[in-house]
Amino acid sequence: MSAQNQKIERRRAQGMTGLEKMMNQILEEANASANSKRAEAAAEADRIKAAAEAEAEEKAAEIAQKSATDLAGYQERVKSSADLKRRTALLAAKQELITETIQKAYEAFCAKDDAEYFETLKKMVEKFAAPQKGEIALNAQDLAKIPAGFEKEVNALAQKKGGELVLSKTPATVEKGFILSYGGIEENCSFKAMFDAKKDECQDLVQKILFS
C-alpha cells in the first residue's frame, strides 16, 4: 500500500473513532435524560399515590363521622319515640283509670236505696228550685214507688225559694233524678247531667286522689 493510501486509512479510522465517541456521548446523555425522566415520573406517581391515599383516608374519616352522627341521631329519635309512646300509654292508662273511677262513683250514687234516693231528690229540689211556679217530673220507675207525702214536701221546699212545684203525671225520660219545668223551659236535674256538668272537677279530684 502506498504511503498516500495509508494516510487516508488513518484519517478514516480517526474519523470513525470520533463519530463513535460522539454517538456514545449522545447515548449516554439520552440514558441520563431517560433515567431522570423515569425518576421524575416515579416521584410524581408516588406523590399522586400519597395524595390519593390521604384524600381517601380523609373521606373515610368524614364518612365514619357522618355515620356516627347519623347513628346517634337515629338512636336519639328512637329513644324520643319510645319515650313519647311510654308517656302516651301512661297518660291513656291514667285517663282510663280516672274515667273508670268516676263511672263507679256514678253507679254507686245511683245505687242508693229508695229512702236515701228520695231524700237526695229533695235536697236537689232545695238547691235547684226556682222562685216561680213549675213542675217536677220523675221517671216511670220513681213515680211507681214515690213515698207518701213526697209531693207536698217538694212543694214546701219550692215555696221556701219563693216558688211552687207540682208533680207531673207524665214520666220524664231520665235514668235517675228529675226534670224541672218552668214556663216551657226545662232544667235537666238528672244524676247524669250533674256528673257531666262536674266532669272536669271530678277528673281533677280523682287525679289528685289517685296520683298525688
Side-chain angles (χ1 to χ4, degrees), residues 39-95:
E40 290 178 2
E44 180 65 13
D46 290 341
R47 186 189 66 78
I48 294 173
K49 179 181 178 183
E53 289 176 349
E55 183 178 1
E57 290 178 0
E58 183 179 354
K59 291 294 184 183
E62 289 178 0
I63 293 171
Q65 180 61 41
K66 184 176 184 304
S67 298
T69 302
D70 291 345
L71 178 60
Y74 173 75
Q75 290 174 334
E76 183 62 29
R77 289 194 298 273
V78 170
K79 181 177 181 297
S80 297
S81 177
D83 288 343
L84 178 60
K85 289 181 179 178
R86 182 182 60 80
R87 290 195 300 270
T88 301
L90 181 60
L91 181 61
K94 284 184 176 180
Q95 188 59 47

Side-chain angles (χ1 to χ4, degrees), residues 28-205:
E28 288 175 358
E29 291 177 353
N31 284 333
S33 176
N35 290 335
S36 177
K37 294 293 184 182
R38 281 195 293 270
E40 290 178 2
E44 180 65 13
D46 290 341
R47 186 189 66 78
I48 294 173
K49 179 181 178 183
E53 289 176 349
E55 183 178 1
E57 290 178 0
E58 183 179 354
K59 291 294 184 183
E62 289 178 0
I63 293 171
Q65 180 61 41
K66 184 176 184 304
S67 298
T69 302
D70 291 345
L71 178 60
Y74 173 75
Q75 290 174 334
E76 183 62 29
R77 289 194 298 273
V78 170
K79 181 177 181 297
S80 297
S81 177
D83 288 343
L84 178 60
K85 289 181 179 178
R86 182 182 60 80
R87 290 195 300 270
T88 301
L90 181 60
L91 181 61
K94 284 184 176 180
Q95 188 59 47
E96 183 178 352
L97 183 57
I98 290 171
T99 301
E100 182 181 344
T101 301
I102 293 175
Q103 179 61 29
K104 287 182 178 178
Y106 171 74
E107 292 172 357
F109 193 68
C110 292
K112 296 175 181 292
D113 59 39
D114 290 347
E116 188 178 6
Y117 173 69
F118 282 102
E119 284 299 319
T120 300
L121 294 187
K122 286 188 285 185
K123 291 178 182 178
M124 291 171 60
V125 169
E126 189 174 12
K127 179 177 180 180
F128 296 114
Q132 54 185 309
K133 185 176 181 179
E135 286 187 341
I136 178 171
L138 308 179
N139 64 37
Q141 293 83 359
D142 291 345
L143 283 175
K145 57 185 178 182
I146 192 169
F150 178 79
E151 184 176 3
K152 289 182 180 181
E153 292 178 30
V154 164
N155 188 44
L157 292 170
Q159 288 175 353
K160 288 182 180 181
K161 301 286 289 286
E164 181 182 345
L165 281 177
V166 296
L167 184 64
S168 173
K169 304 304 179 185
T170 303
T173 55
V174 292
E175 183 179 2
K176 293 287 184 178
F178 53 80
I179 301 291
L180 292 177
S181 299
Y182 294 101
I185 299 175
E186 294 185 346
E187 182 176 359
N188 188 344
C189 296
S190 66
F191 289 1
K192 184 69 166 62
M194 287 195 305
F195 266 77
D196 288 344
K198 298 291 184 179
K199 181 178 180 180
D200 291 341
E201 294 179 25
C202 289
Q203 286 184 332
D204 291 341
L205 178 60

